Amino acid sequence: MGNVVTTILGIIGAMTQQQTNGASLWGTLQAPTFPLFLTNNPLPNGFPWGSLTAAGSNPYTQAPNTGVIRSYDFTISRGTIAPDGYQKSVILINGQFPGPAIEANWGDTIQVTVNNQITGPEEGTSMHWHGLLQTGTPWMDGVPAVGQCPIAPGSSFTYQFQASLYGTTWYHSHYSAQYSGGLLGPLIIHGPSNANYDIDLGPVFLTDYYHTEYFQIVEDIMKPLTDGGNPKPASDNNLINGKMNFDCSTVAAGDTTPCTDGAGISKFKFTTGKTHRLRLINAGSEGIQRFSIDGHNLTVTANDFVPIQPYTTKVVTLGIGQRTDVLVTANAGNAQSAWWMRSNISAPCTEANQPNALAAIYYDKAVTTQAPTSTAWNVPDPGTCANDDLSLTVPYYSIAAATPSTTKTMVIDYIINATGSFLWTLDGTSARVNYNNPVLLLAEQGNLTYPEEWNVKNFGTNTTVRVVINNPSPAAHPMHLHGHNMQILSEGAGDWDGSSVGNANNPQRRDVQLVRAGGHFVMQYSLDNPGAWPFHCHIAWHVSGGLYSTFLERPADIAKDSGIPMVIQETCTNWKKYTNADVVDQIDSGV
Ligand SMILES: *[C@@H]1O[C@H](CO)[C@@H](O)[C@H](O)[C@H]1NC(C)=O
Ligand SMILES: *[C@@H]1O[C@H](CO)[C@@H](O)[C@H](O)[C@H]1NC(C)=O
Ligand SMILES: *[C@@H]1O[C@H](CO)[C@@H](O)[C@H](O)[C@H]1NC(C)=O
Ligand SMILES: *[C@@H]1O[C@H](CO)[C@@H](O)[C@H](O)[C@H]1NC(C)=O
Ligand SMILES: *[C@@H]1O[C@H](CO)[C@@H](O)[C@H](O)[C@H]1NC(C)=O
Ligand SMILES: [Cu+2]
């Protein structure tokens, strides 16, 4: 990477923000701090959660019902931008990459109309609200073939759901690996606090970045190995809030795509002496990120949607889909000082050609056209491809682990299928969903018999399900469960020993957990949310390759209460109409 990154060109930025990120302001000194909406949409007392607290209120049962609706309108369309200077066709939300912020208070209703204007070529789409529980609205979870049919090209769909938890998350397309093409953005929900800070700097997106279009990458990973199939594509760069410089001299010979050195990096303003909240989000396709700020400690206050007892560290590790809220106090230098923010893709865990992302942090009187000169912390990568030890992450609101009513062991592995493609398996099956037949709609009709390749697990009326994941495969996997926070009971090397459970009185909870290569993790959740909930690896290329399952929860209650609105069936009518006229090339698992 070398000097390209630290040249004056790369600090001032050789391209305009419009050229690199479209209409997005993320990464610029003009990006807003949070809360954003209070000025134009004030609430009676600023916030609606009254006497509810992070330590004393159950986040799963005590969400207020504010009656406030936060409405957004998203138009999804193709565009050409150059986030790191290398020109690329991407899919944008309202012309922006990363997409616009959705912001709400705990207990508000979020309403988002998604207009699918993807053309040349057309694609279906869907939008998933990562980590939100969707209690009572499983059809609003945004996963095609599970809760809805894809949103057909030219049509629109309005999602509406409660901001049931509070903290930091993101939304992203759940149609094939489409989010890797640009369809993602931040979702911030304000709620009770478990640590004091002065300034909320908002989202810090950490994303590995590929110069090849997502559709091409997915085609390549699904191909027979003997026909050029490549299940482990290497990323080309690493971005912070959608920006980074790139050394155009490394572009392959014969590639004539326009490429500009020094496109520009993200910049953040720190106010001297103040404490800043940064909402770290690994929204990449594959890479495990190791985030740090030269000269500064990070105080971790939440993982995913779960506030934890704060602890201090120099490096935070995030697998794909994971979020970590950190507090950083600007007390490391004088008001003129500037510092590098770094996010390194963990080399032992990931294929990456340029793994190290940089952004600049300027204290309030620093010259923002100069490169910081700070030195990186020396914290060697342990190479375990694992999250911080479970003993470090203690939820602020305690919930003990109940005795499970069933335990299901699932193995993550891979196969080479009969025609030579490398596919991932979860519990012996490489999944492939059917866009025309959402599981939730079939369950509503009482149909609980599905093709093997959908990989549906029916947990019936169990009260608590424990899932043991053993991973003899040669890769780490960030495993994500929809509709719930998982209680993480054990994580480590080798298969689970069948008994060890750490901190059973108050285990870490989160919605994505890394399982290391050759390792295991054990999780459980209570079946308090009838629905059809995806459980999958969040690496885009792995879930495309079949590392996916749908967990069916209390299907009798889905059939009985059948509140599924007619607009869901309508997504299928529209999709059927579209697919009758245009053959859809489902190149992967579909999700
Ligand atoms: C960072 O935290 C360590 C351990 O708590 C402490 O010794 C050190 O002084 C802190 N450094 C800064 C720059 O705040
Ligand atoms: C990140 O990479 C840089 C450049 O190789 C290195 O100096 C730094 O120590 C790394 N940081 C961490 C936390 O691994
Ligand atoms: C193997 O997997 C590829 C990719 O999903 C698929 O196109 C092909 O049909 C599969 N082969 C067989 C024999 O199922
Ligand atoms: C349930 O749905 C599946 C998938 O559409 C179908 O193959 C099966 O025949 C259905 N079963 C019943 C009993 O309708
Ligand atoms: C509990 O889950 C298991 C699968 O692990 C399933 O076989 C069983 O039928 C479920 N029990 C009930 C009561 O639904
Ligand atoms: Cu994976």
Side-chain angles (χ1 to χ4, degrees):
M1 154 176 81
N3 55 15
V4 130
V5 155
T6 48
T7 57
I8 265 308
L9 191 63
I11 294 296
I12 297 170
M15 303 183 87
T16 65
Q17 180 69 8
Q18 182 67 38
Q19 287 171 323
T20 55
N21 298 85
S24 165
L25 283 182
W26 301 123
T28 71
L29 294 170
Q30 289 75 49
T33 58
F34 287 78
L36 242 177
F37 60 67
L38 291 182
T39 46
N40 55 12
N41 193 0
L43 284 153
N45 300 306
F47 58 83
W49 50 86
S51 59
L52 298 175
T53 62
S57 309
N58 186 322
Y60 308 104
T61 59
Q62 287 182 268
N65 180 4
T66 64
V68 174
I69 297 181
R70 310 279 174 192
S71 292
Y72 295 86
D73 196 76
F74 285 0
T75 294
I76 316 291
S77 60
R78 290 188 197 274
T80 301
I81 55 174
D84 66 349
Y86 183 94
Q87 187 174 302
K88 188 181 166 184
S89 168
V90 294
I91 309 180
L92 300 170
I93 302 168
N94 298 346
Q96 304 173 37
F97 171 75
I102 292 177
E103 193 187 19
N105 280 318
W106 189 27
D108 288 352
T109 294
I110 295 172
Q111 191 186 68
V112 188
T113 297
V114 175
N115 307 291
N116 180 355
Q117 297 294 333
I118 306 172
T119 57
E122 293 176 330
E123 282 179 22
T125 192
S126 76
M127 207 62 88
H128 170 59
W129 323 97
H130 185 112
L132 286 164
L133 301 174
Q134 299 291 358
T135 309
T137 53
W139 45 84
M140 290 295 175
D141 195 41
V143 182
V146 180
Q148 63 171 103
C149 287
I151 305 171
S155 63
S156 300
F157 181 77
T158 300
Y159 292 93
Q160 185 169 316
F161 52 90
Q162 198 196 27
S164 49
L165 297 175
Y166 55 89
T168 301
T169 195
W170 56 309
Y171 58 85
H172 62 83
S173 167
H174 221 296
Y175 178 95
S176 182
Q178 198 177 52
Y179 87 79
S180 302
L183 282 192
L184 55 88
L187 203 170
I188 291 173
I189 302 171
H190 303 292
S193 178
N194 62 328
N196 293 328
Y197 58 90
D198 303 300
I199 299 164
D200 184 345
L201 287 182
V204 180
F205 274 105
L206 313 174
T207 55
D208 55 10
Y209 187 68
Y210 299 72
H211 288 161
T212 306
E213 275 189 63
Y214 97 86
F215 195 88
Q216 178 70 52
I217 296 174
V218 174
E219 278 190 329
D220 290 347
I221 65 171
M222 302 303 289
K223 264 191 211 161
L225 295 173
T226 49
D227 189 21
N230 176 17
K232 288 178 77 180
S235 54
D236 296 297
N237 207 345
N238 194 14
L239 314 183
I240 294 179
N241 275 357
K243 304 172 76 66
M244 181 57 186
N245 293 322
F246 184 69
D247 181 352
C248 293
S249 73
T250 63
V251 170
D255 180 347
T256 56
T257 309
C259 184
T260 305
D261 279 314
I265 58 170
S266 282
K267 296 179 177 182
F268 298 87
K269 189 73 125 183
F270 272 14
T271 301
T272 314
K274 299 289 186 196
T275 297
H276 303 77
R277 178 178 187 166
L278 279 68
R279 300 166 179 269
L280 313 179
I281 306 168
N282 184 341
S285 301
E286 206 253 331
I288 292 177
Q289 301 276 354
R290 300 183 74 243
F291 177 92
S292 63
I293 298 176
D294 295 358
H296 295 73
N297 285 333
L298 309 172
T299 300
V300 178
T301 60
N303 281 324
D304 301 345
F305 268 139
V306 183
I308 61 169
Q309 289 176 15
Y311 70 93
T312 296
T313 182
K314 293 191 164 45
V315 179
V316 173
T317 302
L318 299 105
I320 303 286
Q322 293 186 320
R323 293 86 65 208
T324 294
D325 284 53
V326 296
L327 302 184
V328 188
T329 302
N331 61 3
N334 62 33
Q336 284 81 32
S337 62
W339 306 84
W340 288 120
M341 173 189 286
R342 303 177 193 265
S343 200
N344 295 2
I345 294 174
S346 176
C349 312
T350 312
E351 309 290 320
N353 293 330
Q354 196 304 92
N356 299 327
L358 290 173
I361 293 173
Y362 296 103
Y363 280 24
D364 34 330
K365 296 203 170 65
V367 180
T368 60
T369 50
Q370 283 178 7
T373 54
S374 59
T375 306
W377 291 120
N378 179 18
V379 185
D381 187 344
T384 48
C385 316
N387 287 120
D388 278 359
D389 196 87
L390 290 177
S391 64
L392 280 173
T393 49
V394 180
Y396 213 64
Y397 181 84
S398 332
I399 301 179
T403 304
S405 59
T406 188
T407 297
K408 169 96 185 150
T409 300
M410 299 174 91
V411 172
I412 296 175
D413 216 333
Y414 67 89
I415 52 164
I416 312 292
N417 78 0
T419 43
S421 292
F422 179 102
L423 300 174
W424 292 96
T425 59
L426 179 55
D427 198 27
T429 299
S430 183
R432 187 180 168 87
V433 301
N434 183 323
Y435 284 151
N436 287 300
N437 282 303
V439 170
L440 199 68
L441 293 182
L442 293 172
E444 187 198 29
Q445 293 154 18
N447 181 345
L448 305 179
T449 321
Y450 316 114
E452 167 72 21
E453 67 173 8
W454 295 8
N455 211 16
V456 178
K457 309 293 167 192
N458 184 355
F459 288 113
T461 57
N462 283 289
T463 49
T464 300
V465 171
R466 177 175 289 182
V467 179
V468 178
I469 296 291
N470 289 326
N471 176 32
S473 86
H477 304 280
M479 298 303 295
H480 174 45
L481 177 64
H482 294 218
H484 294 276
N485 278 335
M486 305 179 276
Q487 289 182 303
I488 314 298
L489 302 174
S490 175
E491 182 281 324
D495 281 357
W496 189 45
D497 62 11
S499 61
S500 303
V501 170
N503 195 11
N505 289 329
N506 184 21
Q508 162 72 333
R509 301 185 300 270
R510 63 188 313 171
D511 58 55
V512 183
Q513 174 64 36
L514 273 168
V515 58
R516 57 186 90 187
H520 72 273
F521 91 103
V522 180
M523 64 89 159
Q524 66 180 43
Y525 64 100
S526 36
L527 279 72
D528 52 9
N529 190 6
W533 301 116
F535 175 66
H536 62 92
C537 175
H538 215 299
I539 291 177
W541 321 134
H542 294 185
V543 65
S544 278
L547 218 175
Y548 175 91
S549 172
T550 297
F551 288 179
L552 202 53
E553 176 168 343
R554 290 165 50 184
D557 289 337
I558 301 171
K560 188 177 67 198
D561 294 338
S562 132
I564 306 185
M566 273 153 67
V567 288
I568 299 296
Q569 189 55 58
E570 206 176 293
T571 60
C572 294
T573 312
N574 290 341
W575 183 250
K576 202 156 196 296
K577 213 184 294 169
Y578 169 67
T579 52
N580 281 343
D582 303 75
V583 176
V584 172
D585 189 8
Q586 189 181 327
I587 52 172
D588 64 359
S589 68
V591 285

